[in-house]
Amino acid sequence: MITNTLKSLLAAICLGMFFYTGSVFGFSLGHFLLPILALAIIISIVYKPLALPINHLCKGVGILSLLSFLLLMLAGTMGGSFHLSPSNQVIATLLAGIALFGLTSFFWSEKIMPAHNK
């Protein structure tokens, strides 16, 4: 139950990141991986055989988002004092949300259905 809620929140934040960064930077071909990821996460809630690969994918997305967030914070310190533009503040918030909910995938319990005997 809680796993499905965390998956839904991660998918929602990925869609939010897609629309916001698309409006700021423009849409590109690689940019469309975010809604595909969000759709795959939502499908994994219903279609259980997809749950384990999506779990591993969310772990990777959480780690990459955390590293991106840390690099953005490091870039904000350039020039001797910390400053982020308003658009970078929103992106930092979305990256932190993706990192937070993506890293919770380390604790998701996915029940593997046993194979049917033939």
Side-chain angles (χ1 to χ4, degrees):
M1 178 71 174
I2 190 83
T3 301
N4 294 341
T5 304
L6 293 171
K7 284 182 179 182
S8 300
L9 288 170
L10 178 60
I13 292 175
C14 285
L15 283 176
M17 177 70 99
F18 169 72
F19 287 116
Y20 183 76
T21 58
S23 68
V24 172
F25 300 118
F27 295 99
S28 66
L29 187 60
H31 193 86
F32 285 99
L33 292 175
L34 280 170
I36 292 171
L37 173 68
L39 181 65
I41 292 170
I42 295 300
I43 290 172
S44 74
I45 293 173
V46 180
Y47 186 63
K48 293 301 178 190
L50 196 59
L52 190 61
I54 293 300
N55 188 357
H56 294 307
L57 184 64
C58 290
K59 289 175 187 175
V61 167
I63 291 169
L64 288 175
S65 295
L66 179 64
L67 291 175
S68 299
F69 175 77
L70 293 174
L71 286 174
L72 183 60
M73 294 298 110
L74 182 64
T77 61
M78 297 302 280
S81 65
F82 186 81
H83 175 72
L84 285 177
S85 67
S87 64
N88 280 342
Q89 291 173 5
V90 174
I91 290 172
T93 303
L94 291 169
L95 280 173
I98 291 174
L100 175 71
F101 291 114
L103 292 176
T104 61
S105 64
F106 282 101
F107 305 105
W108 296 346
S109 63
E110 301 297 341
K111 296 189 179 11
I112 308 289
M113 300 176 85
H116 296 288
N117 294 331
K118 293 186 179 182

